[in-house]
């Protein structure tokens, strides 16, 4: 086994450059003649713009332009498109058609959330632009606002859009409603639970930014994005109305994405428009206040789940009704999270019938969009809380109830009641491994010991299956230089996961090269011609499989040349650890020597084109289904209500593991974000004024190092049949499993107080009030 082989903990190639300050982020791009932009944003959640007087701002020193929605409209620049609408299952239609309002890059007549941009000041320096923005005189007619999605759907709520009656964006259903109704009618027990999936500010380390340039008749956008090719397509077809070849998108290092950098934002449109209009590059870099106000938020669902069971605790049906806060406009994929990942409601359970109804509500808040897990964590949270409540109300052990209803290996392939067929999975083995690993049987002794210290101790778990990385394709190209150095070009886009290492590890192992001899290029739509980007735990499954296929083609080409050079038949050539040899002899030639010959037409077989370069498009035949079990132990201080996660174990099947070091990092990071949602993070708007009350890190708490527990990760490998690498995707598992495991543990700790449920975030104040009868 080589040092780059599958399963080896290869250290990340990209880290050295980042650690010594060699990273290239958006703000590091400083072309000659650069101008700086500052956005003038609405201080009101809902208001008409009666007029904008820019005279004083235009007269300020260093100001080049003040651009408004009227200018944008006059130039025919389009707004943010809705790029995803939920599929209607066969034989059905929308219960309520989608309402798709225009989202202009600059508001022209009406603003609909605090932070809605109304003007852009462009100046020679950032300080000049920011100062001049204060000089704009805007005449507002302030209007009533609504921030809560349930309140927004009430008949007397202020309308966000005139063409969306009662603020309904859509009503969507999936599953078998009649079968669910029949199961509930026949059920011995029905358990219901209402949960709030709290609104999240993603808080990526690098704030959003964009640099627009007009170069030789082309728009060039340098930005941070997870999906550069999709940005290019949208800018061409929906916004600037130009051919795609007239646009180049360049993404270098990205300081965290987590889904919110999937989508097109107004500022990316505005800097390109301004750069062409003014004939000079224009840069906008958002500050942290911009990030809180204008980055897409996430989650923010209200759900009622009902579980029908028979007298023995067998699941008969699941009924879910969700209200999803869409925000003031529909972000690119704003309709995806509440709908597309509905299959996560199945999880690891053989529930015969499921029905989901989702109502999307417009509110006077910043739009919501996909965030790590994109609907799967919301579904897993509801189901796993509901199962725990059912176990308590039926008097059945939590583990026994899950085992009673788990999908057995003999049922695989398993057709779920919502859309999918599980092609692999030994789900109960996750429980089998986890229970002794965490000493579940010995927990009551730990609970008693904690009580002697004045602490309430609880244990909880979550048990789930994800659906990742399917129904799409990805492209990769390998370029092989004459010295044997390899460049991998791939259509995904790293934003911290370690793609450079992963793709280089695959190619280096297959070609028998040192990993240092493999370079990886992503993010430049001129260099990488096609790509679907990064999201949904798809990159290793899709991009890695595309790299694998391209590398095999390179090897096949090189084998043909090696057989010619060694004067033997291709069938007699074997390739191992970077060397082509004639089977049963000591005659051999290395890959690098073959690469050199590939660039010399005189040394090639007759009719063979020079070079070893190869392209590959991987089209996945189905999804992958990573699955796992998280177990959390918590202690709560009776006097203060402060919770602490004192133990955390993950048992998970990710398929084959390419790099356990990077896999551990992905799981740990996801769990940390899940801990944040469960215990700390909560985006709060004033329900009447629509003002953001948690608009800085003074008011919005993300996890610090001492909030995150030590992790224990046990990996099971059950290869995925749907891709040649056998991998399943790992980026979102931690975020999906952590919130229900932690909340289940906290509710278990609060058993002496008769607590049935507590909504996230489980802050010390909320738990103190719960303990003390608040």
């Amino acid at each position: 086994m080589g040092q780059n082989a599958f399963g080896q903990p290869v250290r990340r190639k990209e880290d050295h450059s980042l650690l010594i300050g060699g990273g290239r982020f958006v703000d590091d791009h400083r072309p000659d003649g650069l101008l700086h932009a500052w956005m003038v944003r609405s201080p009101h959640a809902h208001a008409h713009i009666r007029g904008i007087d820019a005279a004083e701002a235009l007269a300020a020193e260093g100001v080049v332009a003040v651009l408004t929605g009227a200018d944008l409209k006059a130039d025919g620049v389009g707004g943010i498109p809705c790029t995803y609408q939920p599929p209607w299952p066969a034989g059905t239609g929308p219960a309520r058609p989608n309402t798709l309002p225009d989202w202009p890059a600059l508001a022209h007549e009406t603003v609909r959330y605090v932070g809605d941009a109304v003007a852009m000041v462009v100046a020679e320096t950032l300080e000049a632009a920011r100062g001049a923005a204060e000089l704009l005189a805007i005449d507002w007619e302030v209007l009533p606002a609504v921030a809560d999605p349930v309140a927004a759907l009430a008949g007397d709520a202020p309308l966000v859009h005139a063409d969306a009656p009662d603020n309904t964006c859509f009503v969507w259903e999936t599953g078998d409603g009649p079968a669910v109704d029949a199961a509930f009618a026949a059920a011995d027990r029905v358990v219901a639970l209402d949960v709030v999936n709290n609104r999240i500010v993603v808080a990526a380390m690098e704030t959003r930014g964009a640099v627009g340039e007009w170069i030789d008749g082309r728009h060039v956008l340098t930005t941070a994005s997870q999906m550069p090719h999709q940005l290019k397509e949208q800018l061409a077809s929906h916004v600037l109305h130009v051919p795609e070849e007239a646009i180049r998108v360049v993404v270098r290092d990205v300081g965290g994405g987590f889904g919110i950098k999937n989508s097109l934002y107004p500022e990316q449109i505005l800097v390109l428009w301004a750069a062409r209009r003014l004939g000079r590059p224009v840069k906008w870099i958002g500050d942290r206040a911009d990030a809180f106000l204008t980055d897409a938020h996430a989650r923010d669902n209200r759900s009622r789940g009902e579980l029908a069971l028979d007298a023995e605790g067998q699941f008969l049906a699941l009924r879910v009704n969700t209200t999803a806060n869409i925000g003031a406009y529909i972000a690119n994929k704003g309709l995806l999270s509440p709908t597309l990942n509905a299959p996560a409601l199945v999880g690891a359970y053989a529930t015969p019938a499921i029905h989901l109804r989702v109502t999307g509500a417009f509110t006077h808040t910043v739009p919501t969009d996909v965030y790590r897990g994109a609907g799967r964590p919301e579904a897993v949270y509801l189901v796993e809380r509901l199962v725990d409540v059912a176990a308590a109300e039926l008097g059945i052990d939590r583990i026994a109830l899950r085992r009673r209803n788990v999908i057995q290996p003999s049922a695989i392939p398993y057709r779920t009641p919502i859309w999918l067929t599980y092609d692999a999975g030994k789900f109960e083995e996750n429980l089998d491994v986890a229970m002794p690993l965490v000493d579940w049987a010995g927990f009551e002794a730990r609970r008693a010991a904690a009580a002697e210290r004045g602490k309430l101790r609880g244990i909880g778990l979550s048990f789930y299956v994800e659906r990742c990385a399917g129904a799409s394709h990805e492209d990769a190209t390998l370029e092989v230089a004459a010295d044997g150095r390899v460049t991998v070009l791939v259509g995904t886009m790293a934003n911290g996961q370690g793609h450079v290492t992963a793709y280089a590890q695959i190619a280096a192992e297959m070609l028998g090269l040192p990993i240092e001899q493999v370079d990886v290029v992503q993010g430049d739509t001129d260099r990488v011609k096609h790509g679907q980007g990064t999201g949904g735990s798809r990159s290793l499954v899709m991009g890695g499989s595309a790299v694998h296929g391209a590398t095999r083609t390179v090897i096949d080409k090189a084998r043909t040349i090696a057989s010619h050079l060694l004067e033997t038949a291709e069938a007699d050539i074997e390739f191992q650890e970077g060397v082509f040899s004639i089977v049963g002899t000591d005659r051999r030639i290395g890959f690098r020597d073959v690469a050199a010959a590939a660039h010399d037409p005189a040394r090639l077989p007759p009719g063979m084109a020079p070079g070893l370069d190869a392209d590959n498009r991987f089209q996945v035949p189905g999804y992958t289904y990573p699955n796992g079990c998280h177990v959390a132990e918590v202690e709560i201080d009776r006097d203060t209500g402060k919770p602490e996660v004192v133990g955390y174990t993950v048992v998970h099947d990710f398929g084959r593991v390419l790099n356990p070091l990077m896999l551990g990092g992905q799981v740990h990071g996801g769990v940390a974000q899940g801990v944040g949602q469960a215990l700390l993070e909560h985006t709060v708007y004033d329900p009447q004024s629509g003002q953001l009350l948690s608009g800085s890190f003074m008011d919005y708490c993300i996890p610090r190092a001492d909030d995150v527990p030590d992790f224990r990760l046990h990996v099971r490998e059950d290869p995925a049949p749907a891709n040649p690498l056998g991998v399943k995707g790992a980026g979102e598992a931690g975020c999906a499993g952590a919130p229900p495991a932690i909340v289940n543990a906290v509710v278990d700790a609060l058993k002496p107080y008769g607590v049935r449920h507590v909504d996230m975030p489980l802050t010390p104040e909320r738990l103190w009030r719960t303990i003390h009868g608040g």
Side-chain angles (χ1 to χ4, degrees):
M1 178 183 289
Q3 63 179 351
N4 301 318
F6 237 89
Q8 292 301 297
V10 177
R11 292 192 174 273
R12 290 172 28 132
K13 282 170 57 73
E14 48 270 82
D15 285 354
H16 178 73
S17 174
L18 295 170
L19 290 170
I20 64 171
R24 291 290 309 280
F25 298 90
V26 179
D27 200 24
D28 294 314
H29 184 53
R30 298 173 182 132
D32 292 341
L34 182 64
L35 297 171
H36 298 267
W38 184 265
M39 300 299 160
V40 180
R41 303 192 181 278
S42 170
H44 307 293
H46 194 199
H48 288 318
I49 305 169
R50 288 176 172 151
I52 299 177
D53 185 350
E56 189 175 357
L58 280 167
E61 183 177 355
V63 172
V64 176
V66 176
L67 302 173
T68 67
D71 301 317
L72 194 73
K73 186 175 181 180
D75 283 358
V77 177
I80 307 291
C82 171
T83 59
Y84 172 83
Q85 293 192 56
W88 307 114
T92 71
R96 172 79 169 267
N98 301 343
T99 300
L100 305 175
D102 292 333
W103 182 5
L106 290 173
H108 178 39
E109 296 175 340
T110 304
V111 293
R112 293 182 169 86
Y113 64 95
V114 173
D116 210 351
V118 298
M120 177 171 68
V121 179
V122 183
E124 298 289 347
T125 66
L126 177 60
E127 293 73 17
R130 186 170 189 168
E134 299 290 331
L135 303 178
L136 256 70
I138 304 176
D139 185 10
W140 302 101
E141 179 190 351
V142 180
L143 302 171
V146 60
D148 180 85
V150 175
L153 297 176
D156 58 350
L159 289 184
V160 181
H161 298 280
D163 56 348
D166 62 30
N167 291 319
T168 299
C169 174
F170 68 91
V171 178
W172 179 84
E173 299 182 23
T174 192
D176 190 337
V180 168
D181 292 342
F184 270 80
D188 292 286
R189 294 293 300 270
V190 172
V191 177
L193 182 67
D194 294 303
V195 303
V196 175
N197 210 282
N198 44 320
R199 190 177 180 107
I200 296 297
V201 168
V202 177
M205 185 180 295
E206 180 193 19
T207 58
R208 290 188 299 108
V211 180
E213 297 173 81
W214 177 249
I215 301 175
D216 297 330
R218 297 179 74 207
H219 296 278
V220 179
L221 175 67
T222 300
T223 191
S225 173
Q226 297 169 234
M227 297 183 171
H229 292 86
Q230 291 193 20
L231 287 192
K232 176 181 175 178
E233 293 162 9
Q234 291 175 52
L235 288 165
S237 60
H238 295 280
V239 179
L240 300 173
H241 313 297
V242 297
E244 283 191 30
E245 56 267 25
I247 295 176
R248 179 187 182 191
V249 175
V250 179
V251 181
R252 297 186 174 95
D253 290 311
V254 180
F258 311 112
I260 64 150
K261 290 177 183 169
N262 278 359
S263 297
L264 179 65
Y265 281 88
E267 296 85 0
Q268 292 163 327
I269 296 172
L270 295 172
V271 294
L272 286 178
W273 169 58
R276 179 172 184 177
R277 186 177 173 119
L278 301 175
R280 291 173 63 181
V282 177
K283 174 190 282 190
W284 171 81
I285 300 293
D287 61 15
R288 188 56 64 182
D290 275 314
F292 273 96
L293 283 174
T294 68
D295 286 6
H297 292 176
R299 313 295 194 227
D300 203 359
N301 294 340
R302 315 290 190 271
S303 294
R304 180 173 182 82
E306 298 173 279
L307 182 63
L309 306 94
D310 68 14
E312 304 303 316
Q314 203 75 38
F315 299 169
L316 302 177
L318 174 66
R319 180 190 289 139
V320 178
N321 202 315
T322 292
T323 299
N325 193 342
I326 302 302
Y329 299 98
I330 303 174
N332 270 177
K333 296 179 178 65
L335 304 187
L336 188 152
S337 294
T339 59
L340 182 63
N341 280 313
L345 292 169
V346 177
Y349 304 118
T351 309
I354 297 176
H355 182 258
L356 168 67
R357 180 181 174 92
V358 184
T359 302
F362 287 119
T363 63
H364 292 104
T365 64
V366 69
T368 56
D369 208 341
V370 293
Y371 165 59
R372 201 169 192 167
R376 281 165 281 165
E378 296 93 313
V380 171
Y381 177 69
L382 173 63
V383 170
E384 288 303 289
R385 284 295 300 123
L386 193 54
V387 172
D388 256 31
V389 169
E393 295 192 359
L394 273 65
I396 301 175
D397 177 77
R398 290 178 282 173
I399 306 303
L401 184 61
R402 287 174 167 85
R403 290 189 186 278
R404 194 168 300 175
N405 289 282
V406 69
I407 298 165
Q408 296 296 326
S410 59
I412 302 294
Y414 177 77
R415 178 67 179 171
T416 78
I418 303 185
W419 310 349
L420 304 178
T421 297
Y422 291 169
D423 60 0
K426 300 171 183 175
F427 308 133
E428 193 170 8
E429 287 188 14
N430 295 318
L431 287 174
D432 294 339
V433 173
M435 292 300 98
L437 200 60
V438 303
D439 186 22
W440 186 279
F443 171 73
E444 290 304 327
R446 298 194 293 279
R447 192 199 298 271
E452 293 179 0
R453 294 182 279 107
K455 300 294 181 69
L456 300 165
R457 190 165 180 132
I459 191 168
L461 80 155
S462 61
F463 186 46
Y464 63 97
V465 179
E466 295 187 275
R467 180 268 304 263
C468 297
S472 62
H473 65 267
E474 194 52 80
D475 296 274
T477 296
L478 257 66
E479 296 176 346
V480 184
D483 63 357
R485 191 171 190 90
V486 172
T487 300
V488 175
L489 298 96
V490 64
T492 60
M493 184 62 231
N495 46 100
Q497 301 93 332
H499 289 188
V500 170
T501 304
Y503 297 143
Q505 188 174 349
I506 291 168
E509 180 203 7
M510 294 179 69
L511 296 171
L513 296 174
I515 199 168
E516 294 78 16
Q517 294 295 309
V518 181
D519 301 314
V520 176
V521 175
Q522 300 175 91
D524 184 340
T525 60
D526 274 9
R527 283 282 277 136
V528 182
K529 298 301 183 184
H530 307 283
Q532 300 299 308
T534 291
S537 300
R538 71 183 300 276
S539 292
L540 187 58
V541 176
M542 304 299 298
S545 294
V547 171
H548 176 273
T551 307
R552 290 208 61 83
T553 301
V554 167
I555 293 170
D556 290 343
K557 285 185 176 182
R559 180 180 283 107
T560 299
I561 297 172
S563 70
H564 175 72
L565 296 173
L566 294 172
E567 299 179 325
T568 190
E570 280 190 52
D572 296 332
I573 296 289
E574 65 178 3
F575 181 62
Q576 291 183 344
E577 297 184 4
V579 176
F580 293 95
S581 59
I582 301 176
V583 177
T585 75
D586 61 357
R587 295 184 61 200
R588 61 185 57 199
I589 185 170
F591 177 79
R592 292 175 184 169
D593 292 328
V594 173
H599 287 77
D600 182 355
R603 301 178 66 191
L604 294 176
M608 188 172 186
L612 292 176
D613 297 358
D615 301 317
N616 183 61
R617 169 167 287 186
F618 176 68
Q619 180 77 49
V620 67
Y623 296 99
T624 67
Y625 300 101
N627 55 91
C629 174
H630 291 220
V631 181
E633 286 195 43
V634 303
E635 287 187 352
I636 304 169
D637 189 294
R638 282 196 187 97
D639 296 328
T640 66
K642 180 175 173 56
E644 180 184 2
V645 182
V646 295
Y648 202 96
T649 298
V650 179
V651 177
H652 211 292
D653 165 24
F654 291 112
R656 291 184 68 210
V657 175
L658 172 65
N659 187 318
L661 193 65
M662 293 201 302
L663 172 65
Q666 284 293 295
V667 175
H668 294 175
V671 170
Q673 287 182 304
V675 168
Q677 181 175 14
L679 299 180
L680 304 168
E681 300 182 47
H682 192 31
T683 308
V684 181
Y685 281 91
D686 182 278
Q688 277 78 45
S689 70
Q691 291 293 329
L692 181 64
L693 304 180
S694 52
S696 76
F697 288 131
M698 295 292 288
D699 305 298
Y700 186 93
C701 185
I702 61 172
R704 299 162 64 113
D706 59 354
D707 295 311
V708 179
D710 289 333
F711 299 102
R712 179 162 43 187
L713 173 61
H714 179 95
V715 176
R716 296 178 48 252
E717 295 193 38
D718 184 15
N723 65 85
L725 302 179
V727 297
K728 292 185 178 178
E732 292 151 310
C735 223
I742 291 170
V743 176
N744 283 342
V746 166
V747 173
D748 181 58
L750 297 175
K751 278 199 306 186
Y753 300 92
V755 174
R756 185 175 188 264
H757 177 68
V758 186
D759 275 323
M760 301 184 291
L762 305 177
T763 61
E765 178 188 0
R766 182 168 289 181
L767 294 183
W768 185 89
R769 290 183 181 277
T770 301
I771 291 168
H772 295 277

